[in-house]
Amino acid sequence: MREFRLETGDGRTVCERCARAESPLQRMRGLLGRRSLEPGEGILLRPAGSIHTAFMRFAIDAVFVDADGCVVRVVDSIPPWRAAGAKGAKAVVELPAGAAASVGLRPGEQLHLPV
């Protein structure tokens, strides 16, 4: 998977090394099999309007984004064996638990997503 740096519209870094999971197989695999996400790591699942943490070993933050890159919902510290989604979301950024709050991500903020 290719990686990119994810930033907000005002230039705050959300994720230093964000992987892109855009094929069905990449999205299905997601973070399965990993023991953790290191600080600065994340994954962009696109297209996706919901996620699950079945079979995962750690909690994550999920940032749901619409087609224009606008944050529609932020769910903090989703533990394993849960699901979350957002109406209107076209992509999801999964981050280490606590990362979204540390950057101050809120609905309505713009993210610079790769084309």
Side-chain angles (χ1 to χ4, degrees):
M1 284 186 267
R2 296 182 313 190
E3 291 185 353
F4 66 99
R5 180 185 183 114
L6 178 61
E7 296 179 341
T8 62
D10 62 4
R12 287 174 290 146
T13 299
V14 175
C15 182
E16 291 280 340
R17 297 170 317 280
C18 193
R20 297 166 68 158
E22 297 179 310
S23 75
L25 183 58
Q26 289 171 336
R27 289 192 313 272
M28 185 172 45
R29 167 116 198 227
L31 297 172
L32 292 177
R34 295 198 51 173
R35 293 194 178 276
S36 67
L37 268 176
E38 297 299 320
E41 283 187 315
I43 187 169
L44 168 67
L45 305 172
R46 181 171 54 187
S50 63
I51 59 151
H52 68 82
T53 59
F55 303 102
M56 287 185 55
R57 303 175 185 186
F58 54 95
I60 58 170
D61 289 351
V63 180
F64 295 89
V65 184
D66 70 12
D68 298 320
C70 184
V71 175
V72 295
R73 182 178 183 205
V74 178
V75 183
D76 296 313
S77 297
I78 304 168
W81 296 100
R82 301 293 191 281
K87 186 176 183 178
K90 302 297 182 196
V92 183
V93 179
E94 296 179 346
L95 301 168
S102 71
V103 176
L105 281 181
R106 294 188 180 97
E109 291 200 66
Q110 191 70 34
L111 297 181
H112 291 294
L113 297 177
V115 181

